[in-house]
């Protein structure tokens, strides 16, 4: 079975997010004065072959920990769904 | 009222995603042989002050078009929710 995982990786709330601050500044310069806060992270779409949803989840969790996210600076969350059209 | 928008910006399906390819290669090197595809985009969290959900939506749509996403290379989608604890 194939599963897709939608992973969202965001900088931890306690940390400054210079990229977000720069974009917020840019938005204000463009006249978006009502936008008050911007934080920028990554979105990763993965397709994985696995026997079960829990096995897919274990692989995705492992991949996040080992490569995709830096736990010192980032938090991650994901949703896993079976791909029906394969 | 305050609203939060969760924006996901992904490279268009028709385009190569070199960052995703590099990460896929890295995952294979780490032994994740069952991961078949990786695409990497951005996730942006915005807080915006607006009178109504539709006004917040108009601002977010406009911000995506003018600054956040590059429509030649990226597609975007977003979800808007009222922030209750403010």
């Amino acid at each position: 079975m194939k599963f897709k995982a939608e992973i969202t990786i965001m900088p931890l709330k306690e940390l400054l997010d210079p990229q977000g601050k720069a974009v917020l500044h840019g938005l204000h310069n463009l006249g978006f004065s009502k936008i008050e806060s911007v934080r920028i992270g990554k979105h990763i779409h993965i397709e994985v072959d696995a026997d079960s949803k829990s096995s897919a989840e274990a692989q995705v969790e492992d991949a996040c920990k080992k490569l995709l996210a830096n736990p010192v600076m980032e938090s991650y969350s994901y949703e896993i769904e079976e791909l029906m059209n394969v």
Side-chain angles (χ1 to χ4, degrees), chain A residues 20-81:
Chain A
K21 285 268 182 303
V23 167
L24 180 62
H25 196 71
L27 286 168
H28 284 172
N29 283 346
L30 284 172
F32 293 94
S33 55
K34 288 183 160 184
I35 292 180
E36 293 175 353
S37 146
V38 178
R39 289 186 81 77
I40 300 184
K42 280 179 286 188
H43 187 93
I44 304 181
H45 173 106
I46 279 181
E47 285 175 23
V48 58
D49 190 46
D51 300 331
S52 67
K53 192 171 173 180
S54 61
S55 151
E57 204 169 309
Q59 286 186 67
V60 169
E61 174 75 30
D62 213 23
C64 283
K65 273 201 193 128
K66 287 195 182 151
L67 184 72
L68 304 176
N70 171 358
V72 177
M73 300 179 62
E74 296 166 327
S75 66
Y76 59 88
S77 62
Y78 48 81
E79 279 173 28
I80 294 176
E81 244 177 62

Side-chain angles (χ1 to χ4, degrees), chain A residues 4-18:
Chain A
K4 67 167 183 172
E6 301 287 348
I7 306 168
T8 299
I9 299 174
M10 295 299 286
L12 290 175
K13 287 219 173 67
E14 300 76 29
L15 297 176
L16 290 172
D17 172 18

